[in-house]
Amino acid sequence: MGFASGELSIGNFTQIGNTAQTLTIPTGTSIFYLTSGTTFNGPVNFNFPQISLKQTTFNNSAIIEKNGASNNSSFGGNVFNGDATITNSGTGRMTLNYSQADDYNGNATFIQTGTGDHFPASNTNTTFAKDISTVGSTKSPVFGSSAGGIVTLDGTTTQNINGDLAFPLIINRLIINNGRNGLNLNAPLTVNNSLTLTSGNVNTSAINLLSLGSSLTTVTGVSDSSFVNGPVRKIGNTAFTFPTGKSNQYRPISISSPTTATDHFTAEYILNDPNTFYNVNSKDASIHHMSRTEYWTLNRTNGASNVSVTLSWNPFSGGVSRLSDLRVGRWDVPLSKWIDLGNGLTTGDTISGTIKTTSSTSTFGTFALGSSSASNTLPVELMFFSVEKDERSALLKWQTASEKNNDYFTIEKTSDGANFQTVGTVSGVGNSSVKNTSQHRDENPFTGTSYYRLKQTDFDGRFEIFKLVVFNLMKAKLNLKLTKLVLILLLISYIYNAIVDLKLN
């Protein structure tokens, strides 16, 4: 079939069977209208100079391409139950769903090979249940070009955004609402106007970065169930709270207002012991100790603005007992030590809150909570782990200053330092900011030398192994025999002295 101009309109049509349908008009000005009440059960491939979609259901794969020079707007209200590929290869603009929301239940791919704009989800709240992919050889497709345009991810499995590094995906308004399945960024994504995190995390990386535009001032709905897991960048000159977190924990970091709209900062929350890379014992004299639980990275990635920095804490941070002694610490690379950035303001209580630097800082990098006194335990740390002889058994004892996300302890032993076997497990207390003492008895230590170690496992499966302690059964037995001999000698001496005293009297 072919015609250079005019229109083809299909409405109130239901395909019987699932035979593939192909209609192609590669040139000219002709327009193809799909209107209300139309259903295709087989795969379709439509390629026209102009195309308009209204309230049509596609129950199989749909390949739709606009190749002409005219601008076209689709009413919307379409349902794509199979994979959909929508391309603008022409010089005219292609606007989708300007009046009613489309619903994509399969993977959706939007291709931009022409010079005309490609505007999916232009003016409605369009829903996507699976992956979104974009291909842009000339420019990036822009989702939500008008004020009402919203992309909502509502899938029942983990969703992905795929794209081209040269033409990063742009979504002006984005809602994540797919349970705990979340969204993986396999390409950079820019969200310009609004981001709502209802449920499900956004998983990012340094390459596949989430950037938030200057018009976006607040991320709404963020919680332990929905945050950015990985680096996130904020562009603009407004104060901002980064929606960062890790392992079911929303742990924000905030900045005051940068000076120019083109400045940007990039932040990430790290749920790990800072001492792994940044020696917590190397610090300003005003810092009594640094957290051993967590830290944040905050870098100024464009511009020259100095900003104040605000960190947060909650029960997972360890014990906070004296807010006035809390400090913001920054790792100074040239000095290789933690610098005290002070306590300019605290909010909240000992359960959860925030602390702000005393003044703006011009140097960025790694930030963590610190304390000017011993009042705030902060780290989840092992106070001691010891072993002692108890009859013929080995009694293992340990104490923690605080515990965070602690599921259980495992006691392991070895005779050669290489092959370990489990002695037993002891439940953790979950989260605690007070000292807790635990013990476990090994009824069958090795004859000779036994080496014991303590392994702590979190609820999410992460674990930490502490240093070895040494127990020698033969030495313990010898010490017991010596103790008994001393007691016997003391008893004999006591009896002898008693008899002497009786004779003298």
Side-chain angles (χ1 to χ4, degrees):
M1 182 184 72
F3 58 101
S5 61
E7 64 182 53
L8 172 64
S9 179
I10 298 178
N12 294 313
F13 166 84
T14 299
Q15 180 187 7
I16 303 300
N18 57 4
T19 303
Q21 304 294 317
T22 300
L23 294 174
T24 300
I25 306 295
T27 60
T29 60
S30 59
I31 183 167
F32 183 30
Y33 288 106
L34 289 175
T35 61
S36 304
T38 298
T39 299
F40 291 95
N41 292 316
V44 301
N45 188 337
F46 301 141
N47 187 340
F48 271 76
Q50 302 184 73
I51 195 162
S52 179
L53 308 174
K54 179 181 180 180
Q55 297 172 341
T56 297
T57 299
F58 302 88
N59 286 325
N60 214 307
S61 62
I63 299 174
I64 297 170
E65 181 174 348
K66 166 189 151 45
N67 60 56
S70 300
N71 296 331
N72 296 119
S73 295
S74 291
F75 181 86
N78 305 288
V79 178
F80 298 87
N81 290 321
D83 293 347
T85 301
I86 301 178
T87 302
N88 185 4
S89 60
T91 57
R93 183 177 62 248
M94 186 179 193
T95 301
L96 300 176
N97 46 286
Y98 69 85
S99 183
Q100 286 188 3
D102 288 338
D103 183 22
Y104 293 86
N105 295 312
N107 297 318
T109 301
F110 301 91
I111 301 175
Q112 175 85 51
T113 57
T115 57
D117 292 327
H118 198 348
F119 293 153
S122 64
N123 196 35
T124 58
N125 187 355
T126 296
T127 53
F128 295 82
K130 292 189 177 179
D131 297 350
I132 298 176
S133 300
T134 62
V135 179
S137 61
T138 55
K139 61 176 70 174
S140 300
V142 178
F143 292 70
S145 57
S146 299
I150 302 172
V151 169
T152 295
L153 303 184
D154 62 353
T156 57
T157 60
T158 301
Q159 295 179 252
N160 297 276
I161 283 184
N162 308 301
D164 192 332
L165 287 173
F167 299 97
L169 178 62
I170 299 171
I171 298 177
N172 284 332
R173 299 160 198 86
L174 176 62
I175 298 174
I176 308 296
N177 187 19
N178 64 354
R180 289 194 173 271
N181 302 297
L183 168 67
N184 294 331
L185 292 191
N186 300 319
L189 169 64
T190 297
V191 178
N192 281 322
N193 297 99
S194 68
L195 174 62
T196 301
L197 299 176
T198 303
S199 63
N201 298 333
V202 182
N203 302 307
T204 69
S205 67
I207 296 175
N208 302 317
L209 183 67
L210 173 64
S211 297
L212 306 177
S214 58
S215 297
L216 193 158
T217 58
T218 303
V219 177
T220 58
V222 65
S223 67
D224 288 344
S225 299
S226 194
F227 50 78
V228 177
N229 174 32
V232 55
R233 175 170 294 169
K234 179 62 177 73
I235 305 165
N237 58 354
T238 56
F240 187 72
T241 298
F242 292 85
T244 52
K246 199 83 68 181
S247 296
N248 300 322
Q249 294 184 55
Y250 166 51
R251 300 310 313 282
I253 181 173
S254 304
I255 59 172
S256 60
S257 301
T259 55
T260 62
T262 56
D263 288 358
H264 53 71
F265 289 79
T266 304
E268 182 176 6
Y269 172 66
I270 311 295
L271 182 56
N272 200 1
D273 184 352
N275 194 53
T276 304
F277 303 106
Y278 315 102
N279 183 3
V280 296
N281 295 315
S282 177
K283 58 190 186 314
D284 281 349
S286 57
I287 299 176
H288 180 273
H289 63 275
M290 293 297 301
S291 170
R292 297 290 302 275
T293 303
E294 60 195 352
Y295 61 95
W296 291 260
T297 60
L298 175 69
N299 291 293
R300 184 175 59 196
T301 41
N302 191 63
S305 296
N306 300 333
V307 297
S308 60
V309 178
T310 300
L311 305 182
S312 61
W313 73 83
N314 68 12
F316 288 92
S317 301
V320 173
S321 56
R322 189 180 178 88
L323 272 61
S324 60
D325 289 353
L326 284 174
R327 295 293 184 269
V328 176
R330 176 184 59 79
W331 179 256
D332 187 281
V333 175
L335 297 177
S336 294
K337 73 173 185 175
W338 290 95
I339 304 298
D340 187 354
L341 298 184
N343 182 337
L345 177 69
T346 58
T347 67
D349 51 31
T350 57
I351 303 301
S352 63
T354 65
I355 175 173
K356 183 179 181 181
T357 55
T358 302
S359 59
S360 297
T361 180
S362 59
T363 308
F364 303 90
T366 302
F367 295 81
L369 293 168
S371 181
S372 63
S373 72
S375 299
N376 303 296
T377 56
L378 289 175
V380 177
E381 63 176 332
L382 186 70
M383 301 291 289
F384 68 81
F385 176 48
S386 64
V387 59
E388 61 187 49
K389 178 72 173 60
D390 185 23
E391 297 298 331
R392 279 192 51 82
S393 62
L395 183 62
L396 290 302
K397 294 182 179 181
W398 63 95
Q399 186 180 76
T400 58
S402 60
E403 296 181 25
K404 179 184 71 68
N405 200 27
N406 182 19
D407 190 2
Y408 60 91
F409 294 98
T410 305
I411 301 92
E412 299 177 329
K413 68 179 177 181
T414 179
S415 60
D416 58 10
N419 300 298
F420 286 85
Q421 58 181 259
T422 298
V423 175
T425 59
V426 175
S427 296
V429 296
N431 298 290
S432 172
S433 58
V434 298
K435 292 180 181 179
N436 288 281
T437 303
S438 304
Q439 67 180 37
H440 186 82
R441 188 187 309 276
D442 181 15
E443 301 286 358
N444 299 293
F446 296 120
T447 300
T449 302
S450 300
Y451 301 90
Y452 292 93
R453 70 182 185 186
L454 189 66
K455 177 181 178 181
Q456 180 267 321
T457 302
D458 291 345
F459 289 111
D460 60 8
R462 299 187 337 137
F463 63 86
E464 180 178 5
I465 296 175
F466 299 98
K467 66 179 182 179
L468 293 168
V469 295
V470 183
F471 177 77
N472 192 295
L473 181 61
M474 299 305 294
K475 181 179 179 181
K477 290 172 67 177
L478 178 60
N479 288 340
L480 180 60
K481 289 180 179 179
L482 289 174
T483 301
K484 289 180 178 180
L485 179 61
V486 170
L487 290 173
I488 292 171
L489 292 174
L490 288 173
L491 179 60
I492 293 172
S493 176
Y494 173 78
I495 295 172
Y496 174 79
N497 290 331
I499 293 172
V500 170
D501 288 341
L502 287 173
K503 288 183 177 180
L504 292 175
N505 293 327

